[in-house]
Amino acid sequence: MMANPKESISMILYSSLILILIISSIHHHFHIFNFPMILMPKNMSPPPPHSTTNCYNLSLPVADHKKNLSLPVTMQLPIRNTTTSNSIMEEGLARARAAVREAARTRTYTSYKKENFIPRGRVYKNPYAFLQSHIEMEKRFRIWAYKEGEAPIFHGGPMNNIYSIEGQIIDELCTGNSHFTARHPDEAYAFFLPISIVSIIRFVYRPYTTYARDRLQNIVADYVHLVAQRYPFWNRTRGADHFFASCHDWAPDISAANPELYKGFIRVLCNANITEGFLPIRDVSMPEIFLQRGTLGFQIPGADPMKRRILAFFAGGDHGVVRKILFKHWKDRDNDVLVYDYLPGNLNYTNLMAKSKFCLCPSGYEVASPRIVEAISAGCVPVIVSDGYALPFGDVLDWSKFSVHIPVRRIPEIKRILEGITMKRYLRLQRRVLQVQRHFTLNRPAKPFDVIHMVLHSVWLRRLNLKLPAVL
């Protein structure tokens, strides 16, 4: 007699359930599968396991960022022989340091490949050391971008407008397409925290009921504690081989509430103000770049330097103390120093830059300004009107060779200072502006010596200065 189909299905389901419960019990006690158990807060769903490296994607609901997060985690990524990894890494760094010193001493370089660009000239503090360091970076430097966290706070950021460089760097390092992406964290010389400060401000602080930084500081600190519990790398160096990148004015404030936690942490910032705690020996200054939607910037075919009739030019909003002083002394006051708040409709911003000898780059609310990159792109000699600004790539570039610095207190003397620059010196400055354009050009994917490579090279230099502790 044939069995009832419904009874057969019921028996199969019942047997399967018993088998699942048995296996689950065994796994709970013996962890026979290739992913460990994770303790999660009740309001979070468990992250899906990745079978190869046991990395986990931790979902952090936006609503929870409005208070201090508690993220208890027991999982640890399987780590290879730490002593061997550290030893190999230190040997590689030692060889890189020796090669850079030798290049500086002998004024030559050695490379494992044909070099398509050779830095030359006085715009570089030491072109031979720079080239060799860049060669060693391409050869050795690998970065592990942590996988924890989800959009919109993590792994993405603004790709256009004034904060665009933040999103572009996060995207470059998180997509896995970068030349510098490590295949495994044990191969990494540096570790990237894929946190977008701009996204935190956009999604957590709306509506703006407070400008207190505690929410921002809590999110970043919780993320640091998460990766420090989950992996051994932060604790190994106390974060000295870890970095993040942000162009938001608030980004430096992440460390204010707990400076000891971030004592060695590399902050890659547009707002690189020495008077507000930026440390050039540890932190990295990156340029602010304004990108129109769907573009990677602009290269303005500037006029011949001999035919540039405008002595100096600036147009921009009345943002910050420095610009208020600039407007007080120069707005609508001179035919040679053209200073506007907003341009009349019959004038074109980029055309005026292309026709100017000098482009004024005053600080806004903070020290950085996208006008520096715009001036360089237009072949216009940038005039840095700022106090306390650690200029981008200052480890490598000698800014005095292609720009002019005017302290804020000397704003009333702008015309006299610029007219005092001889034509011979101006032509030399302008020629060198063209020479450094490649270092401020954004490419995706990044290319050697472009702005992203220059930012990462700045991180690489700070990594060269760090020696991993011996593992006992």
Side-chain angles (χ1 to χ4, degrees):
M1 185 174 66
M2 294 183 64
N4 188 322
K6 291 185 179 180
E7 292 180 356
S8 300
I9 293 173
S10 298
M11 288 297 295
I12 293 172
L13 291 175
Y14 181 77
S15 301
S16 300
L17 178 61
I18 295 296
L19 181 61
I20 289 170
L21 290 172
I22 293 172
I23 294 175
S24 297
S25 176
I26 295 172
H27 171 61
H28 177 75
H29 291 286
F30 299 103
H31 300 289
I32 61 174
F33 295 122
N34 66 348
F35 57 92
M37 300 296 290
I38 303 177
L39 300 178
M40 300 295 296
K42 292 181 179 179
N43 61 343
M44 293 187 184
S45 44
H50 296 257
S51 59
T52 53
T53 61
N54 286 348
C55 293
Y56 291 81
N57 191 20
L58 181 63
S59 176
L60 303 177
V62 172
D64 287 344
H65 288 130
K66 296 183 179 180
K67 60 176 184 259
N68 191 9
L69 295 179
S70 175
L71 304 174
V73 178
T74 59
M75 185 273 280
Q76 287 248 339
L77 180 75
I79 303 300
R80 300 167 186 172
N81 188 313
T82 308
T83 304
T84 302
S85 298
N86 287 6
S87 177
I88 293 172
M89 200 170 295
E90 284 303 319
E91 289 175 6
L93 288 171
R95 286 194 291 271
R97 295 184 193 107
V100 173
R101 286 194 294 266
E102 182 68 9
R105 185 183 69 83
T106 61
R107 300 171 68 85
T108 58
Y109 71 93
T110 57
S111 181
Y112 63 100
K113 61 182 178 63
K114 181 180 178 181
E115 296 299 322
N116 295 319
F117 171 69
I118 308 297
R120 300 186 189 280
R122 295 191 175 185
V123 294
Y124 304 103
K125 293 181 175 179
N126 190 316
Y128 303 98
F130 172 42
L131 175 58
Q132 191 65 52
S133 177
H134 196 280
I135 290 169
E136 297 296 327
M137 176 184 75
E138 287 191 297
K139 182 179 180 181
R140 306 178 191 279
F141 195 36
R142 296 298 177 266
I143 299 167
W144 179 261
Y146 285 112
K147 312 305 179 186
E148 284 71 14
E150 290 187 355
I153 304 299
F154 305 96
H155 302 287
M159 303 293 282
N160 56 274
N161 217 306
I162 197 169
Y163 300 131
S164 60
I165 190 66
E166 175 178 318
Q168 295 289 343
I169 287 182
I170 292 174
D171 189 68
E172 178 80 15
L173 293 178
C174 289
T175 57
N177 298 323
S178 171
H179 168 81
F180 300 103
T181 298
R183 296 170 298 178
H184 187 278
D186 279 346
E187 300 174 352
Y189 283 80
F191 298 85
F192 181 62
L193 272 58
I195 303 171
S196 171
I197 304 302
V198 174
S199 295
I200 292 174
I201 307 306
R202 178 182 176 188
F203 293 104
V204 177
Y205 279 80
R206 295 288 178 89
Y208 290 121
T209 57
T210 175
Y211 291 99
R213 307 296 199 261
D214 55 337
R215 292 181 186 177
L216 170 66
Q217 292 162 345
N218 289 341
I219 293 170
V220 180
D222 283 339
Y223 195 88
V224 169
H225 289 140
L226 170 64
V227 297
Q229 291 176 44
R230 184 168 286 188
Y231 311 113
F233 308 111
W234 178 280
N235 293 329
R236 182 177 63 183
T237 64
R238 296 186 180 181
D241 53 359
H242 287 59
F243 71 102
F244 88 136
S246 179
C247 211
H248 197 278
D249 295 350
W250 291 13
D253 296 335
I254 64 156
S255 53
N258 191 349
E260 189 63 28
L261 177 64
Y262 302 99
K263 190 172 182 179
F265 181 61
I266 301 169
R267 302 177 305 167
V268 180
L269 304 170
C270 291
N271 186 10
N273 191 336
I274 295 173
T275 67
E276 296 179 357
F278 182 89
L279 297 177
I281 195 171
R282 178 198 65 193
D283 299 323
V284 169
S285 174
M286 69 176 173
E288 199 166 88
I289 303 176
F290 185 95
L291 294 183
Q292 298 287 351
R293 186 174 296 276
T295 71
L296 292 178
F298 56 87
Q299 204 74 26
I300 305 170
D304 184 291
M306 297 296 293
K307 297 179 180 179
R308 292 179 180 244
R309 304 304 181 195
I310 302 171
L311 177 65
F313 166 70
F314 171 80
D318 183 9
H319 302 153
V321 175
V322 176
R323 295 190 188 180
K324 291 183 188 300
I325 299 173
L326 179 68
F327 288 167
K328 175 183 175 182
H329 290 278
W330 295 106
K331 181 175 176 288
D332 301 327
R333 288 177 176 267
D334 196 278
N335 293 328
D336 297 314
V337 179
L338 303 183
V339 173
Y340 302 89
D341 47 4
Y342 292 100
L343 283 175
N346 61 329
L347 296 178
N348 181 276
Y349 180 77
T350 54
N351 287 344
L352 286 171
M353 293 190 86
K355 295 175 181 178
S356 299
K357 291 181 178 179
F358 299 95
C359 288
L360 303 180
C361 305
S363 295
Y365 289 124
E366 301 296 345
V367 289
S369 169
R371 281 159 188 79
I372 294 177
V373 172
E374 292 169 353
I376 291 172
S377 298
C380 183
V381 177
V383 179
I384 315 298
V385 186
S386 179
D387 294 332
Y389 184 22
L391 291 162
F393 319 138
D395 303 300
V396 170
L397 300 179
D398 185 346
W399 280 80
S400 68
K401 298 298 190 292
F402 62 94
S403 69
V404 177
H405 176 243
I406 296 181
V408 174
R409 61 181 173 79
R410 300 191 67 185
I411 285 177
E413 306 172 58
I414 283 178
K415 185 173 183 178
R416 184 177 65 81
I417 292 171
L418 297 182
E419 286 184 332
I421 296 174
T422 65
M423 178 58 71
K424 181 179 180 181
R425 185 187 169 203
Y426 161 69
L427 292 174
R428 189 163 56 240
L429 289 168
Q430 200 272 342
R431 183 174 66 251
R432 290 168 178 169
V433 166
L434 302 182
Q435 190 178 348
V436 301
Q437 281 180 341
R438 71 169 62 237
H439 302 314
F440 296 89
T441 299
L442 179 65
N443 297 297
R444 295 299 312 278
K447 297 180 180 180
F449 299 100
D450 73 357
V451 69
I452 291 181
H453 270 232
M454 292 293 285
V455 170
L456 296 180
H457 180 259
S458 297
V459 177
W460 161 248
L461 288 179
R462 282 139 186 83
R463 184 61 185 85
L464 278 178
N465 288 333
L466 173 69
K467 186 174 183 180
L468 292 178
V471 179
L472 301 178

